[in-house]
Amino acid sequence: MIEVCVKQAVGEPDVLVDCPFTQRVLLTSEEKNIRYMMHSVDLDNKPQWFLEKSPEGKVPAIKLDDKWVTDSDVIVDLLEKNYPEPSLAPKPEFASMGCKLFPAFVNFLKSKDPNDGAEKALLDELNALEGHLKSHGPFVCGEKVTAVDLSLAPKLTI
Ligand SMILES: N[C@@H](CCC(=O)N[C@@H](CS)C(=O)NCC(=O)O)C(=O)O
């Protein structure tokens, strides 16, 4: 059993909201059949107990073997090591598929100039992923879901 700090909706402690990093960790736990307990955190008013577990004040944070760990990249690696079955390790050649998609999306959202190339860069990333899935899918590495899909999926559904 692990414990996971998750982001709660404004004024709704029981509603989980759109943090793609937390969703990645929860999806990984589901796929690996790891039981987890959630602690819902109001990120606009971070409680002291949470800052003691996650000093940067970010979710997700998980408690594994009596230690709190933050950052979804670190957490997902740790879950793969501690719960190796089923393996979610991607084929090395596809491990970084789609990794530029989220930065391109954020860049596009922040862009104020319609001609700065941000929209094209995002569309190029989306088209590259779609093309890859058409020829190698249904998942990024083929028939089996891997950590790459679980990282990308929450970011694509925001
Ligand atoms: N690199 C981190 C990013 C985590 C992150 O940015 N989480 C956001 C919620 S989606 C957060 O906790 N923000 C609170 C804050 O920055 O104050 C990861 O992969 O876990």
Side-chain angles (χ1 to χ4, degrees), residues 39-54:
H39 300 287
S40 144
V41 181
D42 176 358
L43 290 179
D44 291 331
N45 190 12
K46 297 172 188 170
Q48 189 55 32
W49 64 260
F50 169 62
L51 291 171
E52 281 159 19
K53 296 165 181 25
S54 175

Side-chain angles (χ1 to χ4, degrees), residues 23-83:
Q23 288 170 357
R24 174 189 185 193
V25 168
L26 296 180
L27 286 172
T28 304
S29 305
E30 292 283 348
E31 281 297 323
K32 288 187 167 289
N33 300 309
I34 304 167
R35 288 193 309 130
Y36 56 88
M37 188 176 105
M38 291 192 280
H39 300 287
S40 144
V41 181
D42 176 358
L43 290 179
D44 291 331
N45 190 12
K46 297 172 188 170
Q48 189 55 32
W49 64 260
F50 169 62
L51 291 171
E52 281 159 19
K53 296 165 181 25
S54 175
E56 284 186 29
K58 289 188 192 284
V59 294
I62 72 158
K63 187 182 180 192
L64 179 66
D65 295 338
D66 267 339
K67 240 186 91 187
W68 282 92
V69 185
T70 57
D71 195 279
S72 62
D73 283 341
V74 178
I75 293 171
V76 164
D77 279 353
L78 200 63
L79 292 179
E80 187 64 35
K81 282 194 190 95
N82 281 259
Y83 301 88

Side-chain angles (χ1 to χ4, degrees), residues 5-148:
C5 290
V6 301
K7 177 179 172 182
Q8 68 176 231
V10 177
E12 297 273 4
D14 296 332
V15 178
L16 180 68
V17 283
D18 53 354
C19 168
F21 310 104
T22 303
Q23 288 170 357
R24 174 189 185 193
V25 168
L26 296 180
L27 286 172
T28 304
S29 305
E30 292 283 348
E31 281 297 323
K32 288 187 167 289
N33 300 309
I34 304 167
R35 288 193 309 130
Y36 56 88
M37 188 176 105
M38 291 192 280
H39 300 287
S40 144
V41 181
D42 176 358
L43 290 179
D44 291 331
N45 190 12
K46 297 172 188 170
Q48 189 55 32
W49 64 260
F50 169 62
L51 291 171
E52 281 159 19
K53 296 165 181 25
S54 175
E56 284 186 29
K58 289 188 192 284
V59 294
I62 72 158
K63 187 182 180 192
L64 179 66
D65 295 338
D66 267 339
K67 240 186 91 187
W68 282 92
V69 185
T70 57
D71 195 279
S72 62
D73 283 341
V74 178
I75 293 171
V76 164
D77 279 353
L78 200 63
L79 292 179
E80 187 64 35
K81 282 194 190 95
N82 281 259
Y83 301 88
E85 296 299 331
S87 170
L88 295 174
K91 293 179 183 166
E93 64 270 35
F94 298 144
S96 57
M97 180 58 58
C99 69
K100 292 190 195 144
L101 218 157
F102 196 59
F105 176 62
V106 173
N107 212 21
F108 170 68
L109 287 185
K110 286 184 181 163
S111 160
K112 292 190 170 68
D113 173 2
N115 299 314
D116 68 359
E119 182 176 2
K120 182 178 179 314
L122 174 59
L123 289 173
D124 285 351
E125 288 303 320
L126 286 168
N127 286 329
L129 179 62
E130 188 174 29
H132 173 85
L133 290 174
K134 276 189 182 143
S135 51
H136 296 86
F139 298 105
V140 167
C141 294
E143 291 301 319
K144 257 183 64 209
V145 73
T146 68
V148 184

